[in-house]
Structures are given as C-alpha cells and as structure tokens.
C-alpha cells in the first residue's frame, strides 16, 4: 500500500496542468506553468499542483504502469518547475539572521528536490543553510556539526529503505552532541509518527512548511 497522502482534487484549470505533469509532458507542463504565473495564479497553489503531480506519478510507479525512467523525467520536471517558481516564492524577508541549519539527505537516498525546497523556504525566512547534498552518512553530519555548531541539523529521508540509516544517524548525533544542541529535525514523505518514534526523533515533519515552523520554534526557545 502507498504511504503517500490521499489523492487530492483540484479545480479544472489545475487538473489540466496536473494531467500534463502526471503524463510526463515536460514542455507542455512547464509552458502552462509559465502562462499561469504570468496570469497571476498563486505560485504556492502551482507548487502544490506539481507536488500532487509527483504523488500521482509515484502511484503509477507503484502500480507498475511507470518505470524508473518516468521517475527520472518526473525529477527533471519538478526541478524545472521549482526553478521557475523560486523567484515568485522567495518574497519574504531575506537576510535576517534566524539561525544556521545543516541540511542533507540521508545515506542511501538521493532524492533532493524536497530537501532543496525546504532549504529555499528556510532561506526566505532568514536561515543560513549549509547543504551537505544527498547520500550523507551519519559521520558526515557529525563532522560538519562539530565544525560549524549549527542551531539545527535537518535530515531528509524519502525512502523507507533508508529509515534504518536515519535511525543510526540520529542515534550517533544524540550520543556525540550533548544537551540536544543542535536540535535534530527529520523530514520526508515516508515519515509518520510511528516512524519518527522508531527513529528516535521527536521533531519531524512530512512537509517543508511544517518543518519551517519547527525550526522557528527551536530558535525562539533558544533565544
Ligand atoms: C522524482 C523521484 C525520483 C527521482 C529523484 C530526483 C531528485 N533529484 O530528487 C529519482 C529518479 C532519482 C528517483 C529514484 C528512486 N525512487 Co523516487 N520518486 C520520485 C517522485 C516521483 C517525486 C519525488 C519528489 O521530488 N517530490 C517532490 C518533492 C518536492 O517532495 P518531497 O521529496 O516529498 O519533499 C517534501 C517533503 O517530503 C518535505 N521534506 C523533504 N525533505 C525534508 C527534510 C526536512 C528536514 C523537512 C522538515 C522536510 C522535508 O518537504 C518537501 C516539500 O514539502 C516520488 C513520488 C512522490 N510521491 O514523492 C518517488 C518516490 C519517492 N521514489 C520512490 C522509489 C521507490 C525510488 C527508487 C527506489 C526507484 C528504483 N527502483 O530505483 C529510486 C531510489 C534512488 C535512491 N537511492 O534514492 C518511492 C519511495 C517509496 C518509499 N516510501 O520508500 C516514491 C514515493 C515513488 C512511489 N510511490 O513508489 N525518484
């Protein structure tokens, strides 16, 4: 069974764009995105639409109707969409010194679009990001944390098969970094309460906006 959120319905204009995305029509979907942006459609709603498109592609992959090539294409479509959307999403206060976050995708997992989107949202809200990239080992997180002493370590995990690595990383970081400093926040669509408990992290989020709220709360509490 899929661990993805339920299918969501959108109004007809968005459904048209959604079909293009789900059918992997790269040029058409990006052209439609540009057109809708020019017409003043809310960029957050458009981002939502691409996220739902990714979810639907994932479902088709699970059913065996799409193969790995489709996921690769989906990744390209999402990357281009985020590139087009970024200047429209990044409208809030930049440059405020909110805190420093080390961010990376856990070892075994090379999905980075969600992590990058979370990083964008954090930057727009005044956080400084040190991005370690994908397939990051527990030791790499630890080394960087000891070097720069961030306020938060954010770990992305999209693949269920990498949850064990995530658990081991959280355990190592908790053991070596005293007094819950920095705080560890884990995130990704494969997480839920049960998974977060298993991993041993009280701070977790399935989406970037919830992750941002957690980081802002951490900074406020430590101020
Ligand atoms: C594109 C894609 C790929 C691309 C990734 C390209 C890239 N550069 O990232 C490629 C082709 C590499 C890929 C490969 C694979 N994929 Co893939 N992929 C997808 C797909 C279609 C979209 C992912 C995506 O970018 N979504 C859009 C982003 C913006 O959303 P997101 O990642 O969920 O991130 C959001 C939140 O999770 C959160 N978030 C993410 N990280 C963090 C971190 C923190 C700290 C916080 C707070 C929040 C947060 O914020 C983001 C915004 O809200 C998904 C389907 C889906 N429903 O997501 C499958 C999916 C993730 N893939 C899947 C699988 C199985 C694979 C493969 C194993 C396939 C294979 N047989 O080889 C490989 C694994 C490769 C590896 N070792 O990592 C499964 C995972 C199932 C599971 N739970 O384990 C999915 C769900 C598809 C499915 N339904 O089966 N994939």
């Amino acid at each position: 069974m899929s661990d993805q959120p339920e299918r969501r319905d959108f109004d007809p204009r968005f459904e048209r764009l959604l079909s293009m995305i789900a059918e992997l029509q790269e040029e058409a979907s990006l052209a439609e995105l540009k057109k809708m942006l020019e017409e003043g459609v809310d960029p957050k709603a458009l981002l939502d639409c691409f996220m739902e498109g990714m979810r639907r592609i994932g479902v088709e992959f699970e059913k065996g109707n799409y193969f790995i090539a489709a996921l690769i294409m989906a990744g390209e479509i999402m990357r281009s969409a985020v590139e087009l959307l970024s200047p429209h999403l990044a409208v809030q206060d930049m440059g405020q010194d909110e805190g420093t976050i080390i961010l990376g995708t856990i070892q075994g997992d090379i999905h980075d679009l969600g992590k990058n989107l979370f990083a964008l949202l954090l930057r727009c809200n005044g956080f400084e990001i040190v991005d370690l990239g994908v397939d990051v080992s527990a030791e790499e997180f630890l080394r960087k944390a000891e070097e720069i002493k961030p306020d938060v370590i954010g770990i992305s995990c999209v693949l269920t098969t990498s949850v064990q690595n995530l658990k081991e990383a959280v355990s190592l970081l908790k053991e070596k970094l005293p007094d819950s400093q920095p705080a560890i926040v884990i995130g990704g669509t494969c997480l839920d309460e049960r998974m977060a408990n298993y991993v041993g992290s009280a701070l977790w989020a399935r989406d970037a906006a919830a992750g941002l709220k957690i980081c802002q709360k951490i900074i406020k509490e430590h101020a």
Side-chain angles (χ1 to χ4, degrees), residues 3-4 58 62 79 108 110-112 114 156 158 160 188-189 206 208:
D3 60 359
Q4 299 293 301
E62 275 178 26
R79 188 181 302 286
I110 60 165
H111 293 84
D112 68 353
S156 177
V158 173
T160 311
T189 30
R206 269 179 83 105

Side-chain angles (χ1 to χ4, degrees), residues 3-4 51 54-55 57-59 61-62 68 71-72 74-75 78-79 103 108-115 117-118 154-161 185-190 205-208 211:
D3 60 359
Q4 299 293 301
M51 297 281 297
M54 292 300 114
R55 194 197 63 81
I57 291 164
V59 169
F61 175 76
E62 275 178 26
I68 184 73
L71 294 188
I72 295 170
M78 190 70 199
R79 188 181 302 286
L103 209 54
D109 190 343
I110 60 165
H111 293 84
D112 68 353
L113 296 164
K115 167 184 69 63
L117 207 55
F118 181 47
I155 312 181
S156 177
C157 182
V158 173
L159 282 186
T160 311
T161 47
V185 180
I186 59 171
T189 30
C190 79
R206 269 179 83 105
D207 68 82

Side-chain angles (χ1 to χ4, degrees), residues 19-61:
S19 303
M20 292 174 182
I21 303 164
E23 287 163 16
L24 299 164
Q25 298 178 33
E26 183 170 6
E27 276 181 29
S29 61
L30 296 173
E32 183 69 7
L33 168 62
K34 281 185 200 154
K35 196 160 151 245
M36 289 173 88
L37 275 172
E38 279 162 19
E39 287 167 6
V41 177
D42 177 11
K44 288 204 185 81
L46 288 165
L47 176 62
D48 240 29
C49 194
F50 275 85
M51 297 281 297
E52 170 64 10
M54 292 300 114
R55 194 197 63 81
R56 290 187 190 181
I57 291 164
V59 169
E60 292 308 310
F61 175 76

Side-chain angles (χ1 to χ4, degrees), residues 1 23 76 92 126 150 152 172 200:
M1 208 183 93
E23 287 163 16
E76 287 311 310
Q92 298 169 38
V152 179
L172 180 80

